[in-house]
Each structure stands twice: as C-alpha cells, then as structure tokens.
Amino acid sequence: MSHIALLSWGLVTLMLAGVIFAAEPLPPDKLPVVKELPDPFLFNDGTRVKTKEDWEKRRAEILEIVSAYEYGHLPPAPGNTKVFELVSGGVELIKGASHKQYRVTAGPEAKPVSFLLDLTIPSGKGPFPVIIRGDWGWHKTAADITAEVVKRGYILADYNRVEVAPDNKGRETGIYLSYPEGDYGASAAWAWGFHRCVDAVLTLPFVDKEKIVVTGHSRGGKAVLLAGATDARIALTVPNDSGCGGCGSLKYQAAKSEDVAQITKSFPFWFAPIFTQFGGQQEKLPLDQHFVKALVAPRALLETEALGDLWANPEGSRITYAGAKEVYKFLGAPEKLAIVYREGGHEHNFADWGVLLDYADVLFFKKKPATERDWDGNPFPNSPKMFGWTAP
C-alpha cells in the first residue's frame, strides 16, 4: 500500500458544518518510512495543490495531521473570555511606563480556566502593538528587556502558562478540569492559553489590534509556534530556541540534538498520546515541523536560534525553515518568514529580544533597524536539503 493510501486511511476526513473530523491516526507499524520532509502541497488523496484556494483545503489537512499525530487537538475557543482589572494606574515599575494586571477567565462557567495577565505599557496615547510572552511561570521578563520593549513603543504582556496547564503529567488542575476529554497535551493547552490572552488584549482600548506578537522560549517556544499556527489574529509569531516539537526537525537530527524518543521519555504529557509511539521511529511520522510553520503562513514567523544550543537542533530548524519557505513563496509572502542565529546557548536574552523588536519594527512600521540583520540566516550551507519538491 502506498504512503498516500496509508495516510488517507489514517486520516479519513468528514466535513460537517465546516468542521473536519478525522479517524484515529495510524501507529508507526502501519506507516511507511519517509526520510525526507513530506510535501506540504500534496493532498492526502495524492493530487497536488495548484491554487491559493487549493491551499486553504490542504492547510486544513495539514492542521489535522499535526493535531492528530503530534500535539493533540486544541480545546474549543469558548467565546466567553472575561477580563477583570486588578492593578491599574500610576504603578511605575519601568520609568516612563505604567502597569496593569488582569485576571482572565474563560471556558465552562462551572469550571473556568483562570490566569493572570501582567501588562507594562509605554507612555503616550497609543494604541500600541503588544508582545505576549508565556514564560512567566519561570520568571517575569527581565527589567532591562522590559525597559527596551516599552522604550521601543510596545506593550509587554506576561502570562503564566502553567496556570492554564501544569508542566507535569497531572491532569487534575487548570484546563483539564474545564475540558477533561480530548487528546491534547500541555503544548496545545498552553497555545490555547495564548489565544485567550489574545481575546483579552483585544478588549483593551490602548492595544493596536492589528499588531499582536507572541513569543516564548524553549518549551514555551513550542507552545508559541502552535499558537501562531492556529490563530489568525496573531500577526507575528516568534519562537526562541524551541527545538524538538518546536522549530527543530523531527526527522533530521544533528549532533547532540534532542529527538522524539528523548523528549517523549521526559515530557510525554506535552504531546498527543500517539506521539510517544514514534520515539525511535520518527521517520514514519507523516509530518515534520515545516508543516507547523506552514500553518502560520502568510502571517509573519520569526525564528530566533542559538548556534551553541545543540540540544535544540539549530541546524534542523534551518532545514524545516527551508521547507516552510516554499509555502511562503507560494503564498506571495517570502519576506514574512525569517530566521536569525546568534552565538551562545539556551536562553532568551536581550539580543534575542532586540532581533524580535527590529523585525517587528520592519513588519509593522517599515523602520530600518539600527543593527543590520540577516533575516535569512544560514550558518549550515552544507546541510542536506531533505526534500526534492518545490512550490507549484
């Protein structure tokens, strides 16, 4: 049986009221080895994308593949996000900026999800673009970074994703009480939390609703990539050192990089249950991370990577970037996909934030950055291409 036939059998789709439902994904022993990056332009039935209208249908297939095999399906958007102001006005944590803190709730009335959203806002009239960061559970954004963000005219919104879902195997708190059924792991739950942050900031009059950015580091970067892939309201998605399950390739492992077997042994709860079966068999996955990046297109996606962070597979990130670039080219937005490398290790530092702010300035305001950037960085010119297809 061919790869396409197997994949189609594993993801038989049925369209009801505009929603795609799928059969259970296939386990590794029912799937062929596919060493290269799968073709994002190839429909499950073996035909190929020809037009942008075709792409929208193929995009729905890719979203189902990514959800079924890797992250699980996000819980539904509840449509009832409420924002309660807790701290407001006159609290100057950063010179020239104000501070507001909100309690956000969403989901079933009996058992809603609840978390804090902490905003540092530039002085002036606004409205201002907003950068939502999901790593508050580790620490608040450093003071020097926060000061630079507001100095450049951006709101910084810190959200603690572990209030939405714990960073452990337990499913007794947060979103798991609100939505106890489902195959979603913590990465999908955290992405859902980013979407509720977007709900919240859209209610605030000082936020520029067309200029919403999401960013996060490491495991937070994985959630950020998925959040950007699944919410068209996000204008710019910026995962940092996101590695396996983020921007790094699943099929191509550079020296010392984390693979599916290692990540699912340590953190199986980040993913859909079936993903753990592909440990040591990632070549049988019917996807790689260029699929997730392609879901963001044609909206902007900036990857920030560290050359010394070998565990996060910076070379594999460049390989899936090249695959996703074909989709961005097809959609007429190649400049909306960028990747920037720096020296150093696994951290989300001032330099990374400088890259984010420079790119956002170019994207939103057509400003030329003070620092010259290579937005199409390739420190791995001898890497295998890993695919032979091109955009139609």
Side-chain angles (χ1 to χ4, degrees), residues 244-257:
C244 186
C247 291
S249 175
L250 302 172
K251 294 178 182 288
Y252 179 81
Q253 299 301 317
K256 300 181 181 179
S257 63

Side-chain angles (χ1 to χ4, degrees), residues 252 303-308 310 313-319 321 338-343 374-384:
Y252 179 81
E303 303 175 41
T304 48
E305 304 285 348
L307 290 169
L310 301 182
N313 199 2
E315 183 178 359
S317 294
R318 188 61 178 70
I319 285 170
Y321 168 89
I339 188 167
V340 176
Y341 287 87
R342 62 163 169 81
E343 298 294 335
D374 181 0
W375 300 117
D376 190 38
N378 186 11
F380 307 103
N382 298 319
S383 294

Side-chain angles (χ1 to χ4, degrees), residues 3 31-39 244-245 247-254 257-260 275 278 281-291 313 316 319-320 384 386:
H3 168 56
L31 289 167
V33 169
V34 181
K35 293 185 177 182
E36 294 191 341
L37 304 189
D39 186 349
C244 186
C247 291
S249 175
L250 302 172
K251 294 178 182 288
Y252 179 81
Q253 299 301 317
S257 63
E258 184 179 32
D259 62 20
V260 175
F275 192 59
F278 289 88
Q281 301 190 75
Q282 55 263 21
E283 291 180 342
K284 291 193 171 186
L285 279 165
L287 74 142
D288 209 326
Q289 295 309 96
H290 66 305
F291 271 23
N313 199 2
I319 285 170
T320 59
M386 290 290 291

Side-chain angles (χ1 to χ4, degrees), residues 94-97 120-123 128 143-156 350 357 361 367:
I94 299 293
K95 186 176 181 180
T120 306
I121 307 157
S123 60
F128 306 102
D144 61 339
I145 293 171
T146 303
E148 183 66 15
V149 170
V150 296
K151 175 186 172 184
R152 301 274 290 265
Y154 293 79
I155 298 167
L156 179 65
F350 191 90
L357 292 166
D361 278 351
K367 290 183 182 178

Side-chain angles (χ1 to χ4, degrees), residues 79-234:
N80 67 343
T81 303
K82 298 181 179 66
V83 184
F84 303 95
E85 190 167 317
L86 303 179
V87 178
S88 177
V91 181
E92 191 178 80
L93 302 180
I94 299 293
K95 186 176 181 180
S98 60
H99 173 238
K100 291 180 182 286
Q101 193 171 92
Y102 302 89
R103 171 65 65 179
V104 179
T105 65
E109 296 294 336
K111 293 180 179 178
V113 180
S114 175
F115 60 90
L116 290 176
L117 187 62
D118 193 271
L119 271 62
T120 306
I121 307 157
S123 60
K125 278 186 66 176
F128 306 102
V130 60
I131 302 171
I132 304 169
R133 171 186 176 268
D135 298 333
W136 186 2
W138 291 98
H139 55 77
K140 289 287 290 294
T141 306
D144 61 339
I145 293 171
T146 303
E148 183 66 15
V149 170
V150 296
K151 175 186 172 184
R152 301 274 290 265
Y154 293 79
I155 298 167
L156 179 65
D158 265 317
Y159 126 76
N160 183 356
R161 65 177 185 271
V162 298
E163 283 193 276
V164 173
D167 196 358
N168 57 52
K169 65 181 180 180
R171 296 177 77 96
E172 296 84 30
T173 61
I175 196 172
Y176 301 119
L177 298 179
S178 305
Y179 300 98
E181 304 299 325
D183 62 350
Y184 65 95
S187 294
W190 296 333
W192 184 95
F194 271 104
H195 297 170
R196 306 293 70 79
C197 290
V198 174
D199 292 347
V201 299
L202 286 175
T203 70
L204 304 176
F206 48 85
V207 169
D208 187 331
K209 297 165 179 56
E210 302 300 317
K211 298 179 177 67
I212 296 174
V213 184
V214 294
T215 193
H217 172 62
S218 193
R219 65 195 69 182
K222 305 179 204 306
V224 158
L225 179 60
L226 183 59
T230 49
D231 193 333
R233 301 171 299 174
I234 295 170

